[in-house]
């Protein structure tokens, strides 16, 4: 089933870097993975991708865990390309996307299906044990950070489950190479590429 128009409006209104067509593709991947196990994304930001995945999780009777420390990636900090001054907490001077994430999930009516996990992805992963239907990697995009997420989390993808990676640019002229290196590593490790939409690449275990 497609996303209903009101929910789609909420996804569109959320700050973020995911065009509609990639969001729809992500939703489809979520639908195909939700029967295998719960969905988990690294990188909540303001909740845009969580709406696409959360609606899929709800439809499958499972949940989306959305992991983020909510202080932004390196590329979101002041002076970097993807900085948004509205996301800075005036009290601390640090980025804080948590209030935006909460608003998005609430507006989408997805509080029953999206579980926000507040923390560093490596720390959460070190204590994780539940097999996943889908792992969506969209946290820090520097190669070392993205690769660490892959190494810690990829083993939790259940047999038949999906691995999705965002911002994969095969040509360095189009963007940073971190997520692409992770995609290459996943292929080497035996994940099978099953889909591509824009910079969203999907593989299956
Ligand atoms: N998936 C979102 C966008 C995520 S942007 C969407 O499409 O709407 C990347 C996010 O990863 C940022 O919010 C940042 O805070 C988070 N992040 C980066 N490194 C992290 C880490 N080590 N642990 C937890 N979150 C991290
Ligand atoms: Mg992204």
């Amino acid at each position: 089933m497609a996303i209903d128009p009101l929910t789609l409006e909420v996804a569109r209104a959320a700050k973020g870097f995911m065009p509609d067509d990639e969001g729809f593709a992500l939703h489809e991947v979520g639908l195909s993975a939700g029967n295998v196990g719960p969905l988990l994304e690294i990188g909540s930001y303001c909740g845009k991708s969580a709406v696409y995945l959360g609606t899929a999780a709800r439809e499958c009777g499972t949940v989306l865990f959305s992991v983020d420390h909510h202080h932004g990636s390196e590329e979101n900090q002041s002076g970097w390309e993807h900085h948004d001054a509205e996301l800075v907490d005036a009290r601390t001077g640090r980025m804080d996307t948590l209030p935006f994430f909460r608003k998005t999930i609430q507006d989408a009516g997805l509080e029953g299906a999206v579980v926000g996990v507040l923390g560093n992805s490596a720390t959460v992963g070190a204590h994780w044990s539940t097999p996943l239907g889908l792992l969506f990697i969209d946290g820090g995009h520097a190669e070392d950070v993205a690769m660490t997420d892959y190494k810690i989390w990829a083993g939790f993808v259940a047999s038949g489950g999906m691995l999705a990676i965002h911002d994969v640019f095969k040509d360095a002229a189009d963007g940073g190479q971190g997520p692409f290196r992770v995609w290459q590593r996943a292929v080497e490790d035996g994940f099978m590429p099953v889909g591509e939409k824009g910079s969203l690449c999907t593989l299956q275990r």
Side-chain angles (χ1 to χ4, degrees), residues 14-18 26 41-50 52 66-77 95 97 117 119-123 136-141 145 149 166-167:
K15 291 173 184 287
F17 317 98
M18 180 167 288
L26 190 61
E41 70 172 359
I42 302 171
S44 320
Y45 198 58
C46 299
K48 188 189 283 286
S49 55
Y52 292 111
S66 183
V67 180
D68 203 310
H69 49 46
H70 284 283
H71 286 311
S73 308
E74 188 179 36
E75 57 271 20
N76 303 129
Q77 305 304 320
M95 273 189 66
T97 46
V117 180
N120 184 287
S121 61
T123 309
F136 176 46
I137 299 182
D138 194 22
H141 288 31
V145 179
D149 283 337
H166 197 220
D167 305 303

Side-chain angles (χ1 to χ4, degrees), residues 109-127:
L110 283 169
E111 288 182 298
V114 176
V115 180
V117 180
L118 184 64
N120 184 287
S121 61
T123 309
V124 177
H127 298 274

